Amino acid sequence: MDNALVASHAHTHEEEHEHVALPQHRHHFETEQQQREAGTFGMWLFLLTEIMFFGGLFFAYLLYRNWYHDAFVAASNQLSIKLGAINTAVLIGSGYFMALGVWAAEVRKKGLLVLFLLITTVLGFVFLGIKYVEYHEKWEKHHIPGEHFDVSEFVNPQAYGLKETPLAPDMAQKTQVFFSLYFAMT
Amino acid sequence: MHISPVLWQFLVKWLHASALFPSEASTIAPYTDALYFFLLLITLIGVVLVGALVFGFSIRYRAARNPVATQVEGSTLLEATWTIIPLALFLVTFVWGALLYFRIYTPPTNSMNIYIVGKQWMWKAEHPGGQHEINALHVPIGRPVQLTMSSQDVFHSFSIPDFRVKREVIPGRYSTVWFEATDAGTYHLFCTQYCGTAHSAMIGDIVAMSPEDYESWTKQSTSGMSLAQNGERLFASMGCNSCHSGNAAARGPNLAGVYGSKLQLANGSQVLVNDAYLRDAILNPSQHVTAGYAPIMPTYQGQVSEDGLIDLVEYIKTLDNNYRVQQTLTTSQSDKVAPTTPGMVKP
Amino acid sequence: MSATTSTIVNLPDQRTATMPKRDYLNNEHGLLSWLFTGDHKRIAILYLISITFFFFLGGIFAGLIRLELLTPQPDLVASDTYNKLFSLHGIIMIFLFLVPSVPATLGNFLIPIMIGAKDLAFPKINLLSWYLFMAGGVLTLTALVTGGVDTGWTFTTPLSTHYLNTNVVTAATGIFIAGFASIFTGLNFIVTIHRMRAPGMTWFRMPLFVWANYAASILMVLGTPVLAISLVLVALERTLGLGVFDPTKGGDPLLFQHLFWFYSHPAVYIMILPGMGVISEVISTFSRKRIFGYTAVAFSSVAIALFGFFVWEHHMFIMGVSNYSALVFSLLTMLVAVPSAIKIFNWAFTLQKGSITFETPMLYAFAFIGLFTIGGMTGVFLGALGMDIHLTETYFIVAHFHYVMVGGMLMAFLGGIHFWWPKMFGRMYPESLSKLSAVTSFIGFNLTFMPQFVLGYLGMPRRYHAYPPEFQVLNVLSTAGATVLGVGFLLPVLYLGWSLKYGAIAGNNPWQATGLEWQIQSPPLTENFTEIPIVTQDAYDYEWLANKTEHEVTTVG
């Protein structure tokens, strides 16, 4: 769903990996166990900050969805569940391979490490590719907020061969808030 | 106020004369000032107490006099004391402050209404009788005045220090504040929310006048058309009356007498129709569909100015029977001004 | 030390004393050894230099603002320039000075030593945090030199998103990046305090400075991301035309304020809590006494941190929020004032039965207690709903937060710098000059900001470039005070700089304080401790210290 979360995953893993992968533990830790605990603890704490980071967005989404329920329903039907699901799998996959990479580094298997890192990178590009397809569709339909934003598809869905209930024009305008949040979040 | 009125008057006058204190020119001001003096008092006591402790101990236990410190762990009794006493004082402050807040933000039902529109960087006041003012507001003394305010662009804040009232003026919605001036005079009006380049020039004068002076002022400065009359024209020219015609078969609900009523909406909720509701219903009709009607009304977002909205709202407020709506219909066809009540300031 | 002297300063014999042969300052040489250091002490020094720079930059803006306000007419600068001045003053002072001030300098330097660790848990992240801070600072400076920014530090929408054409995005990005510096510092502190304490250093043996920084770190880690996301949304609205806060697109501009204050109110506690930690250390040391009610002070820090998250709406009482939510937030605001009161009284009672001396840090601590009491009490004015209507958005609020931030935090920061200076650099500063600067700042401060309370009640709005002439007398007083205050802040830079080379050699423990940091050499070794200490005593155990000094021969060098 969101690049930033992935980036931070990768980032924290790298930090940890950097500590653990060294032949001997860092000078300022008393024991290797202390070092490992500190690394894990730090990583979870950082994930907590990410929750707060996206918490603001989730809160905004919750609020607006409550206010403009119909617009959010109609607009969210525009998103492809299939592409979204694939992308989620791709993301989890890349996270998984990154974690495997950390493990490979810990047991000092260099070949495996390179392989896992490569897979992670490839999955990253796959993610961007799918994202491109999704965004391109939004672009063509004028669903990107701003001057060219166009609500005709929501006001008059039949003309576009959709089975949605038509929205009143003022409610249809609120789909712009949905797409604003959609683009901010992804 | 628990101190004698004579003493109070003396204190306030003296402070005001030495330019340390704003004048008390509204019915609310003495209430705000009472809380202010209470808070000043507990602050003073607190500061003196802490000061006395710090200085007292510093002198009594300075190293030259008390070379060896006695170690003390702490004291639950003392901890409890300075938890509970401040807490109690703060809770008193809270209750007092909350009562004051409700007093300041709950307008009396008999207050007269004036519309305020804020925009970068001026204040526009629109009286129901059609008087328009820029950066000034004339009000009668001895009569509660409610301001219904909105902003055309950014956040502004409408502040009259001598009345001790202030309220944010927010783009896209109405906010209200009320006051009752007690002394005739001219008072500062400030925009207190930073709003861009000429923020500090977004000021004006509040002119509080005796009811007689106010009466003559309204007569002199009327533009000839009341807000409701303007609204009526707008209502007709925008074609509102084609649906809101008041007929039984009309596509839109009848607007006569709707203001102040409880309305059943299509989504099942019940709302009180006030200025803010009417404004919202014009801009976002699909969220305010009256039960039994189809959501066919287009939005007027971006098509009516804030001033136009005020006119429309004021017009709908004056619609008390269907005859008036019928008259509008005729007007829109004959292009004549409909007979209405004279452009008086509505109570 | 004889029993009748009025000082506890215990310097080694200057004829024989020498600086340590090896310490963290001379361990490695050259600029690169500083720029790539992982040593928490060196990073603290880097931070100290950078924030001092930003402090004086922000101070220059403050000076210009006060100079403009000398007369009621807008005559010194144009309105737009004035708006840029106060915006940059706020942005620089808050995000680039106050937030990192005590945690990133003193906290960075002292927390590992105080809990008996060799470094923070993640030295590289610590260094990264300084680079992020500098990147944020440089971006803000870029915004400054390429035309400034005039949103005010609050970035209120829709003003910031649709109505101003200054460098809002650059400045927002700068703050966003500096925000991550603060997140990383907080994260590092929390992990270090949880996982790196020396054997025997239990939670309740930690100095209160550590507790205070721990509480502040929680706020940094949980609050800053929310600020970051709100600024991202502002930047996206400006650049891509998203409509999350735009009323014409169905967004709600008040939502921005909710998100912004969700960080920015806790940010106040991020700034003040570490300062409170400094005060605890200083008061204890100079009254030779354990802090009265150690646990109460420790838990009040945590209580402030927790309550601090649930009071943000008190910045929005007049903005048409629901009356009932206003009630709840006002009540919570009253509750958050209580732990601060507890701290004040505990500090006062620490003095009781002590053996008090009045060195410079102690003078700053007294200034803190006085000014913070006034700052805190005026906060209660603003938390009371009805009172807030009249006072908010006026000079009353300006005076209030300057009493807390400058009177509280800055005094604590200066007190802390004076207290740990001999530890950081191994040399003493001239005592009489430093006392003079403490007194000057105190007088200048009150002269500057006391009139502003009165102005506020008179109704003078904040951020006003021009004002009605009847407010002039008080404004002139305030400007005069600012001049005195400026002198009070400039003096320390001069004599502290001088002391680096010419100051008397301080020795390990000039104040005879109990903290672990005072038991090692000054300046410390890169690895702090040659051997990790085993802690058997509580914090502020002066009997333990006396015992130890008796049985040990202290050597310097």
Side-chain angles (χ1 to χ4, degrees):
Chain A
M1 178 198 68
D2 29 34
N3 312 338
L5 199 57
V6 179
S8 60
H9 264 294
H11 178 70
T12 16
H13 280 301
E14 261 158 21
E15 291 302 334
E16 194 190 20
H17 140 89
E18 182 187 75
H19 286 313
V20 181
L22 282 169
Q24 69 274 48
H25 70 266
R26 290 306 190 87
H27 73 95
H28 62 283
F29 287 104
E30 278 304 285
T31 62
E32 209 160 324
Q33 191 203 356
Q34 186 189 32
Q35 176 172 342
R36 177 179 284 272
E37 279 175 0
T40 317
F41 188 63
M43 188 192 76
W44 283 110
L45 211 55
F46 190 75
L47 287 181
L48 195 65
T49 72
E50 292 296 301
I51 292 175
M52 293 306 287
F53 191 85
F54 288 98
L57 285 173
F58 291 149
F59 178 77
Y61 186 89
L62 205 70
L63 186 81
Y64 286 127
R65 188 180 184 280
N66 199 21
W67 284 354
Y68 310 135
H69 181 258
D70 296 344
F72 271 52
V73 169
S76 61
N77 284 345
Q78 284 288 319
L79 305 181
S80 157
I81 295 182
K82 198 175 76 189
L83 288 180
I86 294 174
N87 240 357
T88 309
V90 168
L91 276 188
I92 296 176
S94 73
Y96 176 71
F97 281 108
M98 192 63 227
L100 281 183
V102 173
W103 167 79
E106 273 179 43
V107 296
R108 309 184 60 69
K109 289 186 176 163
K110 206 169 181 182
L112 270 181
L113 173 61
V114 172
L115 178 70
F116 287 141
L117 284 178
L118 270 177
I119 295 177
T120 310
T121 319
V122 170
L123 285 178
F125 281 111
V126 171
F127 173 83
L128 288 178
I130 297 177
K131 223 56 226 158
Y132 172 77
V133 176
E134 286 192 298
Y135 280 6
H136 188 68
E137 188 208 355
K138 301 283 168 295
W139 173 259
E140 296 210 311
K141 287 184 167 178
H142 293 284
H143 283 169
I144 295 184
E147 276 172 44
H148 304 291
F149 190 75
D150 184 17
V151 294
S152 50
E153 194 164 326
F154 299 110
V155 180
N156 195 3
Q158 274 76 22
Y160 292 83
L162 297 170
K163 290 195 190 73
E164 298 280 331
T165 340
L167 291 177
D170 63 313
M171 186 52 91
Q173 276 298 331
K174 306 299 189 287
T175 55
Q176 193 163 357
V177 175
F178 174 83
F179 285 111
S180 293
L181 282 168
Y182 168 76
F183 283 106
M185 282 170 154
T186 57
Chain B
M1 274 177 293
H2 301 293
I3 56 173
S4 101
V6 181
L7 203 63
W8 177 268
Q9 290 265 317
F10 175 76
L11 180 70
V12 167
K13 288 263 158 61
W14 181 76
L15 281 171
H16 181 60
S18 34
L20 296 174
F21 199 71
S23 59
E24 283 185 332
S26 76
T27 50
I28 282 167
Y31 291 101
T32 304
D33 292 345
L35 176 56
Y36 179 65
F37 285 121
F38 167 74
L39 282 164
L40 270 187
L41 187 72
I42 60 172
T43 305
L44 205 65
I45 294 174
V47 172
V48 167
L49 180 68
V50 172
L53 287 174
V54 168
F55 281 107
F57 289 148
S58 295
I59 293 165
R60 170 68 185 77
Y61 297 108
R62 63 186 191 273
R65 216 176 128 183
N66 190 31
V68 181
T70 319
Q71 298 301 323
V72 185
E73 276 292 309
S75 151
T76 317
L77 185 67
L78 276 174
E79 296 290 348
T81 315
W82 58 61
T83 308
I84 290 166
I85 293 179
L87 181 65
L89 284 172
F90 296 158
L91 287 181
V92 170
T93 313
F94 161 70
V95 172
W96 195 335
L99 291 174
L100 186 62
Y101 185 78
F102 282 95
R103 186 189 288 275
I104 297 178
Y105 282 163
T106 316
T109 43
N110 63 343
S111 47
M112 58 181 272
N113 192 37
I114 299 174
Y115 293 91
I116 301 285
V117 178
K119 55 183 270 186
Q120 283 178 330
W121 293 278
M122 57 163 23
W123 292 109
K124 283 198 287 188
E126 309 209 353
H127 299 256
Q131 296 84 356
H132 300 279
E133 301 181 72
I134 303 280
N135 289 343
L137 177 64
H138 288 72
V139 291
I141 60 171
R143 187 162 166 199
V145 177
Q146 181 186 328
L147 304 178
T148 302
M149 309 185 290
S150 184
S151 163
Q152 282 189 358
D153 37 44
V154 301
F155 279 82
H156 300 285
S157 192
F158 191 92
S159 158
I160 313 170
D162 290 327
F163 293 176
R164 313 286 189 275
V165 294
K166 181 185 289 144
R167 188 111 203 198
E168 204 82 359
V169 180
I170 301 168
R173 68 168 79 165
Y174 280 148
S175 54
T176 59
V177 70
W178 80 277
F179 54 80
E180 181 182 333
T182 51
D183 296 324
T186 304
Y187 306 102
H188 285 300
L189 157 65
F190 293 126
C191 170
T192 52
Q193 175 64 272
Y194 173 61
C195 56
T197 308
H199 168 52
S200 62
M202 194 166 164
I203 53 177
D205 290 323
I206 305 290
V207 185
M209 314 163 99
S210 68
E212 302 79 52
D213 290 348
Y214 181 69
E215 195 71 23
S216 58
W217 177 82
T218 46
K219 288 217 176 84
Q220 280 165 18
S221 42
T222 181
S223 57
M225 291 276 276
S226 75
L227 295 184
Q229 282 171 314
N230 280 329
E232 186 165 9
R233 285 194 153 179
L234 206 54
F235 194 80
S237 69
M238 295 180 75
C240 306
N241 47 12
S242 61
C243 293
H244 300 282
S245 62
N247 296 332
R251 280 180 291 171
N254 184 2
L255 297 178
V258 73
Y259 183 78
S261 69
K262 281 251 165 63
L263 201 59
Q264 187 74 34
L265 294 189
N267 64 13
S269 60
Q270 215 183 27
V271 291
L272 173 70
V273 179
N274 54 16
D275 297 35
Y277 173 83
L278 289 175
R279 180 185 189 283
D280 263 7
I282 296 169
L283 297 178
N284 298 310
S286 73
Q287 281 158 280
H288 303 89
V289 180
T290 310
Y293 290 88
I296 49 167
M297 178 168 160
T299 172
Y300 288 89
Q301 182 97 50
Q303 298 179 36
V304 201
S305 67
E306 281 298 336
D307 300 312
L309 280 169
I310 287 169
D311 295 338
L312 282 174
V313 168
E314 193 64 17
Y315 170 63
I316 295 170
K317 279 162 80 171
T318 59
L319 284 175
D320 40 17
N321 59 52
N322 256 330
Y323 171 72
R324 287 286 312 280
V325 187
Q326 308 297 341
Q327 281 296 320
T328 311
L329 285 174
T330 334
T331 322
S332 69
Q333 282 145 16
S334 68
D335 204 23
K336 271 191 315 214
V337 177
T340 43
T341 41
M344 283 293 299
V345 178
K346 226 172 63 72
Chain C
M1 184 182 82
S2 87
T4 49
T5 49
S6 60
T7 176
I8 52 158
V9 180
N10 182 17
L11 298 181
D13 186 349
Q14 294 296 313
R15 283 162 304 181
T16 56
T18 51
M19 293 289 280
K21 279 191 204 65
R22 201 169 68 82
D23 60 49
Y24 79 100
L25 291 169
N26 63 18
N27 188 30
E28 284 178 286
H29 292 282
L31 188 63
L32 286 183
S33 76
W34 282 86
L35 292 182
F36 293 110
T37 181
D39 181 3
H40 65 104
K41 297 179 288 301
R42 284 188 162 208
I43 296 169
I45 304 297
L46 291 175
Y47 258 118
L48 180 62
I49 296 166
S50 354
I51 68 163
T52 307
F53 168 73
F54 286 118
F55 172 72
F56 280 99
L57 191 63
I60 290 170
F61 292 137
L64 289 171
I65 292 170
R66 283 309 332 160
L67 211 56
E68 165 63 57
L69 293 178
L70 204 53
T71 56
Q73 301 82 24
D75 37 20
L76 181 70
V77 293
S79 286
D80 275 330
T81 318
Y82 181 80
N83 295 343
K84 286 172 189 168
L85 285 178
F86 74 69
S87 301
L88 283 160
H89 169 70
I91 290 171
I92 290 176
M93 283 302 200
I94 288 173
F95 297 111
L96 300 178
F97 175 71
L98 284 168
V99 168
S101 61
V102 169
T105 56
L106 295 172
N108 224 336
F109 195 98
L110 293 162
I111 287 176
I113 313 185
M114 280 180 164
I115 62 169
K118 288 180 175 169
D119 204 326
L120 285 173
F122 310 116
K124 287 198 174 160
I125 293 185
N126 196 15
L127 184 65
L128 174 68
S129 129
W130 181 73
Y131 276 104
L132 287 174
F133 171 77
M134 286 312 284
V138 167
L139 267 177
T140 312
L141 288 183
T142 316
L144 165 68
V145 294
T146 56
V149 57
D150 59 353
T151 54
W153 78 276
T154 46
F155 288 90
T156 319
T157 55
L159 183 68
S160 63
T161 48
H162 290 85
Y163 290 90
L164 297 172
N165 39 24
T166 48
N167 302 307
V168 180
V169 174
T170 321
T173 317
I175 296 170
F176 177 83
I177 294 175
F180 275 89
S182 152
I183 292 177
F184 285 138
T185 306
L187 190 120
N188 229 333
F189 284 0
I190 295 181
V191 175
T192 308
I193 294 169
H194 268 274
R195 292 281 177 241
M196 311 270 291
R197 279 169 287 127
M201 178 57 83
T202 59
W203 281 88
F204 291 100
R205 280 178 182 167
M206 294 194 313
L208 287 164
F209 180 76
V210 181
W211 270 100
N213 275 285
Y214 179 73
S217 302
I218 294 176
L219 290 170
M220 285 188 220
V221 166
L222 296 182
T224 320
V226 182
L227 172 77
I229 191 66
S230 4
L231 289 177
V232 167
L233 286 174
V234 165
L236 289 178
E237 283 213 37
R238 271 190 83 88
T239 50
L240 303 180
L242 297 195
V244 181
F245 303 131
D246 182 359
T248 62
K249 290 179 181 150
D252 183 4
L254 272 181
L255 179 67
F256 171 79
Q257 305 229 359
H258 279 291
L259 292 177
F260 181 83
W261 289 115
F262 183 82
Y263 164 77
S264 294
H265 196 78
V268 173
Y269 301 113
I270 293 178
M271 299 177 224
I272 195 71
L273 277 168
M276 292 171 157
V278 172
I279 299 306
S280 296
E281 300 299 312
V282 171
I283 297 262
S284 164
T285 300
F286 296 100
S287 48
R288 327 271 335 126
K289 211 168 141 263
R290 192 188 144 88
I291 284 284
F292 192 90
Y294 171 94
T295 39
V297 177
F299 279 127
S300 62
S301 291
V302 181
I304 289 175
L306 291 181
F307 283 127
F309 269 118
F310 302 100
V311 297
W312 78 87
E313 206 186 273
H314 68 209
H315 295 265
M316 306 164 65
F317 283 157
I318 68 160
M319 299 202 182
V321 294
S322 125
N323 285 349
Y324 301 99
S325 74
L327 274 183
V328 173
F329 278 94
S330 172
L331 183 61
L332 286 165
T333 306
M334 295 299 162
L335 294 184
V336 82
V338 174
S340 304
I342 294 177
K343 277 177 187 280
I344 296 273
F345 284 108
N346 276 301
W347 288 324
F349 271 82
T350 302
L351 299 171
Q352 191 200 16
K353 298 188 181 165
S355 174
I356 305 164
T357 55
F358 304 95
E359 279 74 26
T360 315
M362 191 63 155
L363 295 187
Y364 276 113
F366 283 170
F368 173 96
I369 292 180
L371 301 179
F372 181 73
T373 306
I374 297 176
M377 279 308 300
T378 49
V380 176
F381 283 56
L382 293 160
L385 285 168
M387 199 75 248
D388 182 68
I389 295 174
H390 180 56
L391 294 178
T392 191
E393 297 173 352
T394 67
Y395 261 81
F396 192 92
I397 216 163
V398 175
H400 157 68
F401 68 68
H402 280 90
Y403 261 84
V404 178
M405 295 291 97
V406 184
M409 184 58 191
L410 193 56
M411 291 293 167
F413 175 69
L414 285 171
I417 289 289
H418 283 89
F419 185 55
W420 282 293
W421 189 262
K423 179 52 64 184
M424 294 169 99
F425 298 102
R427 288 190 186 266
M428 290 300 288
Y429 43 83
E431 183 73 17
S432 47
L433 210 52
S434 59
K435 278 182 177 162
L436 178 73
S437 81
V439 174
T440 314
S441 328
F442 181 77
I443 294 171
F445 178 84
N446 280 303
L447 195 54
T448 312
F449 292 104
M450 198 58 94
Q452 295 188 1
F453 281 124
V454 184
L455 276 173
Y457 203 77
L458 279 168
M460 178 166 163
R462 66 192 287 199
R463 297 170 168 180
Y464 258 32
H465 181 210
Y467 55 86
E470 66 260 33
F471 297 156
Q472 191 176 9
V473 176
L474 289 163
N475 271 299
V476 169
L477 267 180
S478 180
T479 303
T483 319
V484 179
L485 189 60
V487 174
F489 289 152
L490 264 178
L491 270 177
V493 184
L494 301 178
Y495 63 74
L496 288 179
W498 174 88
S499 78
L500 282 179
K501 196 153 176 154
Y502 306 104
I505 288 169
N508 289 1
N509 195 356
W511 314 122
Q512 303 175 62
T514 56
L516 283 184
E517 78 272 25
W518 298 107
Q519 317 312 322
I520 57 174
Q521 69 170 32
S522 332
L525 292 166
T526 301
E527 61 272 26
N528 299 342
F529 304 96
T530 41
E531 210 174 297
I532 289 298
I534 292 167
V535 182
T536 52
Q537 77 283 4
D538 284 351
Y540 318 115
D541 190 339
Y542 290 91
E543 281 154 19
W544 165 83
L545 182 73
N547 241 337
K548 176 175 169 282
T549 340
E550 230 170 78
H551 292 95
E552 263 177 33
V553 185
T554 317
T555 49
V556 177

